[in-house]
Amino acid sequence: MEIECPTIGIEEVFIASGHVGGFSDPLCECMNCKEAFRADHLVEDVTEAAGTLSAEDLTRVIRENEIRCPECGGEFGEAYEFNLMFKTTIGPGTGRQGYLRPETAQGMFVDFQRLSRFYRDKLPFGAVQIGKSYRNEIAPRQGVIRLREFTQAECEIFVDPRNKKHPNFERFADKELVLYSQEAQKKRRIYQDDCTGSCEERNHCP
């Protein structure tokens, strides 16, 4: 079933989903010009797996390698975790703390009881949603989800954890999935960027 949920929600929803406590990127600010940068991006050329380092480790790497602000050459302050959700208040006065949704899935879980009643309390059942999501990116990129506003499609299938059989499983039981390694995905992307072949040819890139 396709549903449409609100793009804004109260803080409790995002606490439950883990986004208040863990949906963040490491931020580092220049103490001179006050420009902000992704701390893990600053150290990509001097250390491996920069994206897995803690804020404390990123601060240490930046200082040990004397990495300076690319804008003005100033020194960086300590790195810290910056939550990527857009914060707002809901209601008059001070209102209740709320956020713009960073993905569309929350509404499906909040509406679980309604969906369950619609499906007559029988599992499995699913919900699909297509809509806007919002992320307060430190450094927006020309990617699919590294933007501050983008359209997202998600599907959630709810199954009984004690009985994960699906009545239509046999239709797809013999279908093989082709999974590409990170390196293979990079090569495929480079090839497709330069490819001038037909769509059919592009879909069978090596």
Side-chain angles (χ1 to χ4, degrees):
M1 179 183 183
E2 184 176 355
I3 62 175
E4 184 175 355
C5 300
T7 59
I8 187 172
I10 59 175
E11 185 176 39
E12 287 78 3
V13 170
F14 301 100
I15 290 175
S17 66
H19 286 77
V20 170
F23 194 70
S24 59
D25 279 336
L27 176 67
C28 204
E29 295 181 85
C30 174
M31 294 188 291
N32 182 46
C33 69
K34 309 304 179 185
E35 190 72 28
F37 298 88
R38 281 273 300 271
D40 53 335
H41 291 175
L42 292 170
V43 303
E44 285 179 337
D45 294 334
V46 297
T47 185
E48 295 182 359
T52 65
L53 299 179
S54 67
E56 293 78 11
D57 289 335
L58 288 167
T59 298
R60 176 180 53 78
V61 173
I62 288 171
R63 290 178 176 170
E64 287 179 354
N65 291 275
E66 298 182 348
I67 296 174
R68 298 300 183 97
C69 174
E71 297 293 331
C72 71
E75 293 186 10
F76 283 110
E78 293 189 358
Y80 62 93
E81 294 296 328
F82 173 76
N83 193 283
L84 299 178
M85 288 192 294
F86 282 103
K87 186 183 296 185
T88 186
T89 54
I90 302 172
T94 56
R96 300 181 67 179
Q97 183 69 60
Y99 298 91
L100 293 178
R101 65 185 185 190
E103 57 189 25
T104 59
Q106 285 87 6
M108 300 185 199
F109 295 109
V110 171
D111 285 347
F112 176 81
Q113 285 188 320
R114 293 179 180 178
L115 289 166
S116 181
R117 284 197 299 270
F118 176 83
Y119 283 105
R120 300 181 181 180
D121 295 322
K122 292 182 179 180
L123 293 168
F125 65 80
V128 176
Q129 183 171 199
I130 302 172
K132 290 292 185 182
S133 295
Y134 306 87
R135 299 181 182 182
N136 194 14
E137 293 286 346
I138 299 169
R141 298 181 176 183
Q142 297 300 316
V144 178
I145 60 175
R146 281 299 182 184
L147 301 170
R148 291 195 172 112
E149 178 181 343
F150 56 95
T151 299
Q152 188 175 30
E154 290 194 73
C155 178
E156 297 289 342
I157 306 295
F158 299 96
V159 300
D160 185 340
R162 298 162 299 181
N163 179 16
K164 298 184 179 181
K165 294 182 179 180
H166 194 285
N168 292 323
F169 175 76
E170 294 304 322
R171 290 174 56 191
F172 308 98
D174 297 327
K175 186 174 182 62
E176 293 185 4
L177 295 179
V178 179
L179 303 178
Y180 292 89
S181 66
Q182 182 177 2
E183 189 63 29
Q185 290 181 49
K186 288 180 179 178
K187 290 180 179 178
R188 181 181 173 89
R189 189 179 307 118
I190 293 170
Y191 178 86
Q192 289 191 336
D193 286 345
D194 296 331
C195 178
T196 58
S198 67
C199 292
E200 184 177 351
E201 290 172 341
R202 288 169 64 88
N203 288 334
H204 290 83
C205 293

